Amino acid sequence: MTASGDSRASRERARGIALAAIAGVGLAIWAFPVIWGLLTSFKTERDVLAYPPKFIFEPTLANYREVLFGASSILPNLGSSLVVSVGATLLTMLFAVPAAYALARLRYPARRASGFYVLATQMLPPVGLIIPYYLALQKVGGLDTYTGLIVIDLTFSLPFAIWLMVSYFEDVPYEMEEAALLDRAGRVRALWHVILPQVRGGIAVTTIFVFLNAWNEFLFAVVLGGNRVRTVTVAMFNFISVEQTQWARLAAGAMLAMAPVILIGLFAQRHIVKGLTVGAVKGGGRR
Amino acid sequence: MTADTGSVRLEGVVKRHGATTVLHGIDLEIRPGEFFVLLGPSGSGKTTTLRILAGLETVSAGRVLMDGADVTAQEPGERDVAMVFQSYALYPHMTVGQNIGFPLKMVGMPAAQIQRAVSEAAARVGIAHLLARTPGQLSGGQQQRCALARAIVRSPRLFLLDEPLSNLDAKLRLETRLELHRLQRSLGATTVYVTHDQEEAMTLADRIAVFMEGRIVQVGTPREVFARPTTREVAAFIGTPPMNLLAGRLDGANVIVDGAALPLLARADAPRDVVVGVRPGDLRVAPRGLPAVVERVEDLGDSSIVSFTAGERLLKLKSDRPPAVEEGQAVHLAFAPDAAHLFDPQTGARL
């Protein structure tokens, strides 16, 4: 190896180390609250408030027992969150996929305008909508019902999902659909057999985003929910009261609420990568 | 099957996109079993015409007839035509076998039968060993064959090919051209082929339709189009290098170019302005004729191309002999009287 080759290799190694260090700092900043929350969830309330903070302590499962099976169990709330999130996600995807396909493909008057309208609904701050939504749901008896909360979730998840899916559909070459039409598939079967398989990565990613948004949603759930429909985010809010904040229980609840999110994230990683490679197939289309 | 099976007719087909007219009334008759090439520069309307035949574009006016029946209003799937796209449009999530079998699956053919038809079609284009792969794992040439197999698998009455060789490298293009011709002959199906490559058109076509600016300017066999181009534009488009075109004045049995009298077979009763066209292969260096200076000599081994400047003009001479002139040399150029093509300088029409 020549001297210049040596210096180049060492330069690249130094660069790799620097990049790893930057990534490490970023990861530490991101992970600290999660790790701190995890530690807190195994502490007693006394250890939580100890100063200076304790990193070494006797772990206890009492908090988990309490939030799972105790008087303030969040199990019913996890159930509520699941119903709202799954319901909102299914309905969103059911409408978003065909709507996005239409926006991406069909040529009709006001196509641009309707695309903009979809995006414009995203521009309203949710806080501004709370009171109208409350009044509207009250009129139709939709307060504190699953239907009510799911419908309200749809109003912001649907535009988001459509907008995300349109770009995936637009990436499928139009000629591929024309080929399917000539192969006698017809438009519906062309969509089913040729187009949808190519955007399945996008469908997976969008589904996950919509689910996570619904799962983590707090503002609408706290105002439009109630005693019957109380999602886990709202339930955890109840650990914070005027007299005291039960930090350890709150942390245990937060860990439980995060579990599905993390599991989905791990599962989705594969799909996201797959979604990217499907579009990259050589000869898949003209760019 | 009747004698009509595979015939195609376009009657006064007009296509407008908003205010622009892409096709100005196309009339065309394609015979059963014919290898018919739509040739023209980009933007001339040839691909639009092919897409109208496929049913992928609607017409603004006119009719499309197949086997004598009006199919103008029919959907692409109802027309029994197969198309090979320039990009091949293979389905990336399916294997080669599934790609080829897709049109059969869509008409509900039993799986065992599909498998048989797929193997047969794949063997025909030489990709029988690749059926389990996905398109992404194929080379460009193999993808092209896969697209071909998908088109031939259901024996449609009409094949449409949109510049199918343009994404292949030069060597593969020549090989595939030969195979394509053999395949078409063995299937005997009417084929409409779009290309801007006049060499492809000349070698493949039974007949050519030359498109210019949304109109068909000439229909004929490759020989006819080459030997008797009906307009100056066709003359300039067909042939490599293209035809030399010189403004001159027709006087008696001569055409006068830059003061030099060049003899013709044609005679004019009264002198008039003309454009005289001479193929590079018909031009030769002679003791008398149009004065010119050798600009550049390109020796291609088995042939040569010599560029000349004559006044403002650049002329090309093609010869199958090694060049006998040197760069910078002053010469005279001439051509056989029967080799000249005369065109009207205003309309561009052949005289």
Side-chain angles (χ1 to χ4, degrees), chain B residues 25-77:
Chain B
I26 298 290
D27 292 295
L28 200 58
E29 176 108 43
I30 300 170
R31 298 168 196 148
E34 198 169 28
F35 201 124
F36 197 92
V37 171
L38 311 182
L39 174 66
S42 49
S44 60
K46 55 192 193 306
T47 296
T48 306
T49 305
L50 191 78
R51 291 171 57 83
I52 284 173
L53 286 175
L56 296 171
E57 302 263 0
T58 56
V59 301
S60 308
R63 296 203 303 163
V64 181
L65 292 102
M66 290 182 186
D67 299 350
D70 190 338
V71 299
T72 317
Q74 282 184 0
E75 293 289 321

Side-chain angles (χ1 to χ4, degrees), chain A residues 161-221:
Chain A
I162 291 172
W163 185 69
L164 202 60
M165 282 305 300
V166 164
S167 56
Y168 282 98
F169 278 117
E170 278 175 346
D171 273 353
V172 180
Y174 195 51
E175 284 190 348
M176 221 166 270
E177 202 167 335
E178 292 181 335
L181 291 181
L182 280 162
D183 286 344
R184 303 188 186 187
R187 207 169 263 287
V188 175
R189 285 195 297 173
L191 178 64
W192 184 254
H193 288 289
V194 173
I195 309 301
L196 285 186
Q198 293 184 61
V199 298
R200 62 184 168 208
I203 291 176
V205 170
T206 309
T207 305
I208 287 155
F209 272 126
V210 169
F211 180 85
L212 294 186
N213 277 340
W215 183 266
N216 291 329
E217 205 284 316
F218 172 72
L219 188 61
F220 291 111

Side-chain angles (χ1 to χ4, degrees), chain B residues 197-231:
Chain B
D197 181 336
Q198 47 96 17
E199 195 179 303
E200 252 173 49
M202 297 292 288
T203 51
L204 282 170
D206 292 323
R207 285 194 305 149
I208 298 174
V210 185
F211 279 69
M212 297 270 166
E213 292 171 355
R215 289 186 175 83
I216 293 180
V217 286
Q218 186 166 10
V219 178
T221 64
R223 177 96 326 251
E224 283 165 5
V225 173
F226 186 82
R228 286 187 62 82
T230 52
T231 70

Side-chain angles (χ1 to χ4, degrees), chain B residues 17 23-24 40 76 113 164 183 249 269 293 299 349:
Chain B
H17 287 305
L23 294 176
H24 306 262
Q113 244 174 296
L183 185 67
R249 193 165 171 79
D269 299 330
V293 177
D299 191 345

Side-chain angles (χ1 to χ4, degrees), chain A residues 10 23 46 84 120-121 123 140 146 159 174 176-177 180-181 208 213 217 260 263 274 286:
Chain A
S10 68
R46 224 171 45 145
V84 171
T121 56
M123 296 176 184
V140 298
Y146 285 116
Y174 195 51
M176 221 166 270
E177 202 167 335
L181 291 181
I208 287 155
N213 277 340
E217 205 284 316
L263 284 179
K274 217 165 159 189
R286 206 164 32 180

Side-chain angles (χ1 to χ4, degrees), chain B residues 19-326:
Chain B
T20 36
T21 304
V22 188
L23 294 176
H24 306 262
I26 298 290
D27 292 295
L28 200 58
E29 176 108 43
I30 300 170
R31 298 168 196 148
E34 198 169 28
F35 201 124
F36 197 92
V37 171
L38 311 182
L39 174 66
S42 49
S44 60
K46 55 192 193 306
T47 296
T48 306
T49 305
L50 191 78
R51 291 171 57 83
I52 284 173
L53 286 175
L56 296 171
E57 302 263 0
T58 56
V59 301
S60 308
R63 296 203 303 163
V64 181
L65 292 102
M66 290 182 186
D67 299 350
D70 190 338
V71 299
T72 317
Q74 282 184 0
E75 293 289 321
E78 299 170 340
R79 296 191 179 194
D80 193 18
V81 300
M83 182 157 165
V84 174
F85 290 83
Q86 190 174 9
S87 67
Y88 312 142
L90 299 175
Y91 312 130
H93 58 292
M94 297 182 196
T95 64
V96 169
Q98 288 167 335
N99 262 283
I100 301 172
F102 186 73
L104 302 179
K105 186 178 162 190
M106 287 300 106
V107 295
M109 188 184 272
Q113 244 174 296
I114 292 181
Q115 209 179 357
R116 228 178 5 252
V118 167
S119 321
E120 203 182 313
R124 235 178 158 133
V125 296
I127 55 166
H129 57 298
L130 301 172
L131 291 179
R133 300 219 192 146
T134 58
Q137 298 167 320
L138 301 184
S139 71
Q142 291 166 337
Q143 289 182 359
Q144 203 266 351
R145 281 150 202 271
C146 179
L148 265 177
R150 190 174 67 185
I152 65 175
V153 73
R154 64 190 164 93
S155 321
R157 65 173 160 193
L158 181 62
F159 283 118
L160 305 173
L161 298 107
D162 185 9
E163 310 224 9
L165 305 183
S166 61
N167 287 338
L168 304 179
D169 64 55
K171 183 167 171 287
L172 197 54
R173 192 152 43 204
L174 288 182
E175 288 171 22
T176 315
R177 199 164 78 191
L178 275 174
E179 284 174 31
L180 206 55
H181 193 261
R182 206 178 52 214
L183 185 67
Q184 196 271 343
R185 282 291 181 263
S186 72
L187 294 167
T190 314
T191 302
V192 183
Y193 184 107
V194 162
T195 183
H196 64 268
D197 181 336
Q198 47 96 17
E199 195 179 303
E200 252 173 49
M202 297 292 288
T203 51
L204 282 170
D206 292 323
R207 285 194 305 149
I208 298 174
V210 185
F211 279 69
M212 297 270 166
E213 292 171 355
R215 289 186 175 83
I216 293 180
V217 286
Q218 186 166 10
V219 178
T221 64
R223 177 96 326 251
E224 283 165 5
V225 173
F226 186 82
R228 286 187 62 82
T230 52
T231 70
R232 189 174 51 194
E233 284 72 28
V234 175
F237 187 68
I238 307 270
T240 336
M243 186 185 276
N244 297 300
L245 294 168
L246 307 157
R249 193 165 171 79
L250 189 61
D251 192 357
N254 289 317
V255 63
I256 317 292
V257 179
D258 288 349
L262 304 164
L264 298 174
L265 281 188
R267 284 195 66 90
D269 299 330
R272 60 165 295 178
D273 286 337
V274 293
V275 170
V276 56
V278 184
R279 294 265 176 223
D282 292 330
L283 203 63
R284 54 192 162 74
V285 175
R288 290 186 307 126
L290 182 66
V293 177
V294 179
E295 171 89 12
R296 171 110 183 88
V297 178
E298 291 165 284
D299 191 345
L300 306 176
D302 58 346
S303 63
S304 58
I305 294 171
V306 185
S307 306
F308 300 92
T309 45
E312 298 278 287
R313 293 182 209 88
L314 188 69
L315 301 179
K316 299 236 180 204
L317 179 154
K318 191 177 177 185
S319 163
D320 52 8
R321 283 189 304 259
V325 291
E326 281 170 23

